[in-house]
Amino acid sequence: MPQPPVVQPEPEPEPQPEPEEPEATGLIPPHMADREISRVAVLLPFSADNSGARGEALRLLRAAELALFERAGGNLLMIPKDTQGTPEGARAAALAAAEDGADLIIGPLFGTSVAAASDVARQAGIPVIAFTTDTTVAGDGVYLMSFPPEIEVRRIVEYTARQGVERFAYLGPQDRYGMAVYNALQDSAMTGGGYVASESFYTGDVEAMARASARLTQGAFEPLTPEEALERRALDWVPDPEAPFQAVILPEGGTRLRALGPLLISQNVDPLVVRFLGTGLWNDPDLLREPALHGGWFAAPDQAARERFELAYEEAYGSEPSRVASLAYDAMALAAHLDGGERGFSADAIEEAQGFVGADGLFRFHHDGMIERGLAIYEIRSRGLREIEPAPLTFEFGPQGS
């Protein structure tokens, strides 16, 4: 008889190993071992050859640290990295930040360093909030937390045009900053229905500035009589319909600006007739001592917000912050605001259309990496600055740089 087939018992299934938890990557300080960490690298020139750059790096770091203490929870880790003030150092610092698992990079300070660091950051998918005003490095994940002169010019020209000015003039240096102001003046004047009626550039000292002042006017203005001056002082300023130009922008600061104002007056360009306009370089209390600038207008951040930051900084560190220190505070405060949110540090989160409020007031980033700020308009008086139009509290319109 045939033997029945032998039925082999089913083998016991082998127990499947438990899935392993993914190994944590990135820098983890011992005191944060049990937390879900977000890492923000701060790239600054701590060991730069230039002592001024080293001092600025320390002030920026302190401001970022202040925002970390005031705004962040316990899951945000700040990782300082030294760029040495060079592109090569910035690239190495960005590589080190990526190896440490940085989710966001704040800095560098200089445009060439931003360009070097951003190459690394883009490959690693890390957004960058930099402090340079060099707009050529913005975009594709690099955002400029700075005060490009274009936004200041746009704001002051828009306000001046609303006061009836149609004809603008430019008197300033023929350098990168000056040309940025000049180009912005042309664009903004045209947008407001006006135009640049006269321009004069200079390169050099006060003598070059004097020659440029003369070229700008070419004897077109007549001096006011004492009676005319008295009459104009008694009335609110309005643009003179007969003036060759009704407002002139002077993109200088400090002692050079204090020389430029009187040079214009020597050419019979009277502030009672022509409104002197400035950039953020005018936000300097020393300029109050120059009578030629009294009545001049410029755009700047809300002073009250700035004063609150300065007071907190002085209380924490016993010294005054620099003008740009607030940029690091606002960048870190933004990181603290985005940390833990559903969108994290994504472009959508950073480019939030409603914007954010920081030490320098309202701001938001556009897709091209440029910043838009809510600026107030100030007038220089002998006893201080007078706010003649407040900074906006919200952005009413859609992004302009998208």
Side-chain angles (χ1 to χ4, degrees):
M1 291 182 64
Q3 295 295 319
V6 178
V7 178
Q8 296 291 338
E10 290 285 335
E12 289 289 329
E14 294 185 9
Q16 295 296 315
E18 291 292 327
E20 294 184 7
E21 292 291 329
E23 190 173 326
T25 59
L27 180 63
I28 306 176
H31 72 283
M32 300 180 77
D34 59 344
R35 306 177 195 177
E36 188 175 338
I37 303 175
S38 295
R39 301 170 182 85
V40 179
V42 180
L43 276 57
L44 291 170
F46 298 113
S47 64
D49 291 339
N50 183 283
S51 62
R54 295 196 302 272
E56 195 61 74
L58 176 60
R59 290 185 287 269
L60 286 162
L61 181 67
R62 285 176 169 176
E65 184 181 60
L66 181 63
L68 187 71
F69 291 153
E70 291 185 346
R71 303 289 188 95
N75 296 335
L76 198 62
L77 175 63
M78 182 173 74
I79 310 173
K81 297 291 183 184
D82 183 14
T83 67
Q84 303 173 31
T86 66
E88 297 78 14
R91 178 178 175 81
L95 284 168
E99 290 175 0
D100 285 344
D103 301 292
L104 177 70
I105 289 175
I106 292 176
L109 179 58
F110 305 121
T112 53
S113 294
V114 175
S118 60
D119 288 341
V120 175
R122 289 186 182 108
Q123 293 178 15
I126 306 171
V128 176
I129 299 179
F131 303 133
T132 179
T133 59
D134 183 357
T135 58
T136 63
V137 300
D140 194 16
V142 177
Y143 303 90
L144 301 189
M145 178 68 81
S146 56
F147 283 90
E150 291 87 350
I151 64 175
E152 299 165 345
V153 174
R154 187 183 308 126
R155 175 73 167 104
I156 191 61
V157 170
E158 182 272 335
Y159 173 80
T160 308
R162 280 194 278 116
Q163 312 315 307
V165 170
E166 296 178 340
R167 296 185 295 281
F168 293 84
Y170 172 92
L171 176 61
Q174 195 167 17
D175 56 16
R176 190 174 70 177
Y177 181 83
M179 294 309 299
V181 171
Y182 175 69
N183 293 332
L185 175 64
Q186 285 191 310
D187 294 342
S188 302
M190 187 179 302
T191 300
Y195 62 97
V196 178
S198 185
E199 64 274 325
S200 188
F201 303 89
Y202 54 80
T203 302
D205 56 12
V206 175
E207 290 186 6
M209 295 163 69
R211 292 193 295 270
S213 301
R215 290 196 303 271
L216 182 76
T217 60
Q218 297 181 340
F221 287 87
E222 295 292 333
L224 295 177
T225 66
E227 294 77 16
E228 289 173 331
L230 185 63
E231 181 181 354
R232 286 179 179 270
R233 287 193 183 95
L235 301 172
D236 290 336
W237 181 83
V238 293
D240 187 336
E242 304 300 325
F245 50 84
Q246 300 154 314
V248 56
I249 195 163
L250 310 175
E252 287 281 15
T255 56
R256 290 177 66 84
L257 177 59
R258 294 174 65 183
L260 195 56
L263 285 173
L264 269 178
I265 292 178
S266 72
Q267 299 296 325
N268 299 320
V269 181
D270 197 307
L272 293 172
V273 178
V274 176
R275 185 61 62 178
F276 290 7
L277 308 178
T279 66
L281 298 178
W282 283 37
N283 197 6
D284 178 356
D286 289 343
L287 300 178
L288 303 177
R289 302 198 302 267
E290 177 48 62
L293 302 176
H294 293 170
W297 295 341
F298 67 96
D302 177 68
Q303 292 290 319
R306 173 72 190 188
E307 288 169 1
R308 287 192 293 271
F309 161 71
E310 291 178 347
L311 179 61
Y313 186 100
E314 290 175 25
E315 288 180 348
Y317 302 109
S319 61
E320 295 183 0
S322 63
R323 180 65 196 89
V324 300
S326 57
L327 304 181
Y329 180 94
D330 283 355
M332 185 59 75
L334 174 60
H337 175 77
L338 299 180
D339 180 35
E342 292 183 0
R343 297 180 295 177
F345 300 111
S346 66
D348 284 345
I350 296 173
E351 297 166 18
E352 168 59 51
Q354 294 182 357
F356 312 92
V357 177
D360 287 312
L362 187 66
F363 70 93
R364 67 179 171 186
F365 292 113
H366 298 312
H367 184 65
D368 61 3
M370 296 298 292
I371 195 170
E372 180 181 354
R373 291 186 177 274
L375 302 177
I377 302 295
Y378 293 94
E379 180 176 295
I380 293 183
R381 296 289 187 91
S382 60
R383 296 183 179 180
L385 299 179
R386 182 173 78 96
E387 183 182 87
I388 55 179
E389 186 167 276
L393 300 177
T394 61
F395 290 111
E396 298 180 1
F397 307 104
Q400 299 171 1
S402 299

